[in-house]
Amino acid sequence: MPTDETNQPDPTESGADFRVLLQRLIRQYEDSGTDVPEVDDVLLRWAAALPDHAPDPGWPGLARHLLDALAAPSAGLAAPAALADEPPVATSGDLRTRLRALAADYARDRAWRADRRARGEWAGDGGGWASASLAGFLESWDSWLDASLGRPPRFPGVPPVEPVTWASVAWQLGAARVYE
C-alpha cells in the first residue's frame, strides 16, 4: 500500500481513497522529469503480474496492482497495434489480455504522434489516447472517476464502478484512455 510522509500505510478502501492515490502519483510523475515510465510499459508490467484467476480486487487490490506495476522493473515498450474488438473482461486473466491490448494501442498512438511530429505536423488531436504521458493518463483516470463514482453507468452494458471487479477495472482503464 502507499505510505504517507511518516511511512504509515495509506489504506485505499474507497474510490475517494483511490483518487487520492492517483492524485499523489500524478504529482510524482509530473515532477519526475525523465525517469517517468511510458504508459505501455506500466500496462505490460501490470499484465505480467496478474494471475489467470484471482478474486475481484476491490479498491485495495486495485491500488496494490497499480503500485506493484509502477514499482516493477521495466517490461519495455509494446509493439504498436490497433485496439481490436474487446472481448468482455470477467477474470484477472481477461484483464491481463486487455492490458496487453491497451499497451499495444498506446504504442500505436505514440508512433502516430512521432510520425506527425517528424513530418512537421501538429500531433495534438486525432490520436486514440487523450494523454501522451503517464501523469496525463493517471489524471484522465482520476477525472473519469470523479465524474463516475456514485453514479449509475451512463451506457447499457457498462459495469458499475463499484464494487471494483475485473470488468470495472477494464472499463476504468478504457475510459481513462479517452477521457479528457
Side-chain angles (χ1 to χ4, degrees):
M1 301 308 301
T3 58
D4 64 16
E5 293 75 25
T6 63
N7 285 330
Q8 296 301 311
D10 178 13
T12 307
E13 297 295 329
S14 69
D17 295 338
F18 188 75
R19 288 193 59 230
V20 168
L21 170 63
L22 288 175
Q23 292 161 12
R24 184 179 308 145
L25 292 170
I26 292 163
R27 286 189 302 275
Q28 175 185 334
Y29 289 116
E30 284 176 335
D31 297 338
S32 291
T34 59
D35 292 339
V36 178
E38 290 283 343
V39 173
D40 55 335
D41 181 27
V42 173
L43 295 172
L44 290 174
R45 295 177 199 187
W46 191 350
L50 281 177
D52 283 337
H53 297 284
D56 285 329
W59 291 114
L62 179 55
R64 186 180 62 253
H65 288 295
L66 176 60
L67 291 171
D68 287 351
L70 292 168
S74 176
L77 302 179
L83 196 58
D85 289 337
E86 300 176 37
V89 171
T91 68
S92 53
D94 295 340
L95 182 64
R96 183 179 60 233
T97 300
R98 179 72 57 87
L99 289 165
R100 289 178 181 150
L102 286 169
D105 187 59
Y106 181 84
R108 180 207 48 81
D109 199 68
R110 181 181 48 236
W112 179 87
R113 288 188 312 272
D115 180 61
R116 301 269 304 177
R117 283 191 300 273
R119 291 186 283 142
E121 297 175 6
W122 187 60
D125 291 339
W129 286 70
S131 303
S133 70
L134 182 57
F137 176 70
L138 296 172
E139 186 173 358
S140 293
W141 192 355
D142 175 52
S143 296
W144 183 83
L145 283 172
D146 183 43
S148 301
L149 281 169
R151 294 176 180 88
R154 296 181 190 167
F155 306 103
V158 174
V161 176
E162 296 179 307
V164 179
T165 63
W166 296 117
S168 73
V169 172
W171 188 261
Q172 289 179 47
L173 295 171
R177 173 185 170 267
V178 297
Y179 197 82
E180 293 190 55

